[in-house]
């Protein structure tokens, strides 16, 4: 194989691979059940979460917010390319490419293409409070504890 052909085939292969990765990353946002484990997450006693605070659950890549009324859960996965967000003083920020979200999960600055997902929090049949990452709700939805 001549050097020029080798370089051309390598470039085409790398461009194709990059295209496939980009398409899969883009499509993941439409299929949240494929984006990670979507089993219900038991929260335990919600009173253990500090009031007016976002608590990061590292093993599930989400934040749980509790106030005096109840609890809610938001994804900690950046909607750009999936980096894990960090809490900022008034919202969330991505350490990878700088996207910023407010504390309602709305994009303030990109490149993130869409807002964060909020997950349903409810009481399961066995009485435990659980997060359902497979069910998206609005930022205002909250599991009432009081
Ligand atoms: S992955 Fe968060 S801004 Fe790119």
């Amino acid at each position: 194989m001549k050097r020029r052909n080798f370089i051309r085939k390598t470039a085409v292969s790398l461009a194709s691979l990059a295209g496939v990765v980009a398409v899969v990353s883009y499509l993941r946002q439409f299929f949240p059940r494929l984006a990670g484990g979507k089993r219900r997450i038991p929260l335990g006693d919600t009173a253990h979460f500090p009031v007016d605070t976002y608590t990061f659950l590292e093993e599930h890549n989400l934040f749980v917010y509790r106030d005096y009324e109840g609890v809610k859960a938001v994804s900690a996965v950046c909607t750009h390319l999936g980096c894990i967000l960090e809490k900022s003083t008034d919202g969330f920020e991505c350490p990878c490419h700088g996207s910023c979200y407010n504390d309602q999960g709305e994009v303030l600055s990109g490149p993130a293409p869409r807002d964060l997902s909020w997950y349903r929090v409810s009481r399961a049949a066995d009485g435990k409070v659980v997060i359902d990452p497979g069910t998206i709700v609005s930022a205002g939805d909250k599991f009432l504890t009081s």
Side-chain angles (χ1 to χ4, degrees):
M1 181 183 303
K2 291 184 177 179
R3 183 175 172 200
R4 181 173 291 178
N5 283 342
F6 173 76
I7 291 172
R8 182 180 301 140
K9 287 183 179 183
T10 301
V12 168
S13 297
L14 290 175
S16 299
L17 179 62
V20 168
V21 169
V23 167
V24 168
S25 296
Y26 177 74
L27 292 176
R28 279 181 52 191
Q29 68 181 311
F30 300 112
F31 301 98
R33 287 184 183 274
L34 299 178
K38 297 302 174 189
R39 291 169 284 123
R40 289 184 172 188
I41 300 163
L43 266 186
D45 185 354
T46 57
H48 290 144
F49 291 91
V51 175
D52 287 332
T53 301
Y54 286 85
T55 303
F56 180 56
L57 300 186
E58 184 176 356
E59 66 273 24
H60 303 295
N61 291 332
L62 55 82
F63 290 94
V64 171
Y65 176 78
R66 176 181 172 230
D67 62 17
Y68 287 108
E69 295 177 337
V71 294
K72 55 187 187 173
V74 62
S75 171
V77 179
C78 182
T79 60
H80 180 221
L81 293 178
C83 288
I84 302 306
L85 301 173
E86 298 170 350
K87 188 72 184 83
S88 62
T89 53
D90 53 357
F92 309 94
E93 60 189 20
C94 182
C96 293
H97 311 109
S99 288
C100 292
Y101 305 82
N102 65 17
D103 62 1
Q104 296 302 302
E106 299 165 332
V107 176
L108 298 176
S109 61
R114 64 181 178 87
D115 298 341
L116 299 176
S117 296
W118 290 85
Y119 302 134
R120 182 172 180 239
V121 180
S122 63
R123 189 173 302 282
D126 62 3
K128 294 179 180 169
V129 177
V130 295
I131 299 170
D132 181 3
T135 303
I136 306 299
V137 297
S138 72
D141 283 7
K142 188 184 306 178
F143 175 73
L144 300 178
T145 55
S146 59

